Amino acid sequence: MARIYRMSAFTRFGNTMAAAMIRLGIGPAGMHLLTVRGRTTGRPRTTPVNLIEHQGRRWLVAPYGEVAWVRNARAAGQVELRRAATIEHARVREATAAEAAPVLRSCLRQLRLVVGPYFDVTPSSPDAAFAAEAPRHPVFLLTRPPA
């Protein structure tokens, strides 16, 4: 059974350190700072995330489940991504289970050591197992906002 994600003091410290590195542009290549407007307060909320590139498209994956940024992104329909001095605005559309399955597999392959305990599948599991896992790990397609 997959582990349930709990925010701890250690995780908060790690996120703070990762955010500082991403702001300087020295964090891991796929990491960005995701900022989305809070669904109840309206205030911007920022957290480090890994973007997953799959078949020429960029995806946001919630490997820890339906955390606050997921609910905020659903409500807002758009997010801001930052890395160093580069800021990008994007629309988000939640993927279907069929769309999410190969993206989740890619995420698990790329970040297995970090996110593996939160999944009930392995990278070699069949597509049907990933489709069944999709409701527990929301996936969003990033698209450019209209000009």
Side-chain angles (χ1 to χ4, degrees):
M1 177 151 195
R3 190 181 326 170
I4 295 174
Y5 180 76
R6 301 274 187 241
M7 180 67 81
S8 66
F10 181 74
T11 304
R12 280 189 189 90
F13 176 74
N15 282 350
T16 300
M17 297 309 295
M21 289 174 31
I22 295 164
R23 278 188 184 93
L24 294 172
I26 59 174
M31 288 195 83
H32 289 72
L33 288 178
L34 171 78
T35 301
V36 63
R37 186 168 303 283
R39 65 196 177 286
T40 56
T41 66
R43 286 186 257 164
R45 302 293 182 189
T46 302
T47 190
V49 295
N50 283 292
L51 293 185
I52 302 297
E53 299 230 3
H54 181 74
Q55 295 183 341
R57 300 168 111 180
R58 295 181 328 145
W59 304 83
L60 271 174
V61 176
Y64 307 119
E66 194 170 308
V67 292
W69 74 256
V70 170
R71 295 185 294 273
N72 290 338
R74 279 183 185 142
Q78 59 188 4
V79 298
E80 176 185 284
L81 296 165
R82 176 187 299 261
R83 180 159 178 89
T86 304
I87 298 173
E88 172 189 358
H89 295 273
R91 284 188 174 180
V92 292
R93 176 185 63 80
E94 195 159 359
T96 64
E99 288 176 313
V103 177
L104 288 172
R105 181 187 311 277
S106 182
C107 175
L108 194 53
R109 281 189 177 132
Q110 291 176 35
L111 306 170
R112 185 172 186 166
L113 293 175
V114 177
V115 303
Y118 301 96
F119 282 80
D120 281 330
V121 293
T122 65
S124 60
S125 296
D127 287 342
F130 276 97
E133 188 88 0
R136 292 185 47 236
H137 305 283
V139 175
F140 296 89
L141 174 64
L142 294 171
T143 58
R144 300 246 184 239

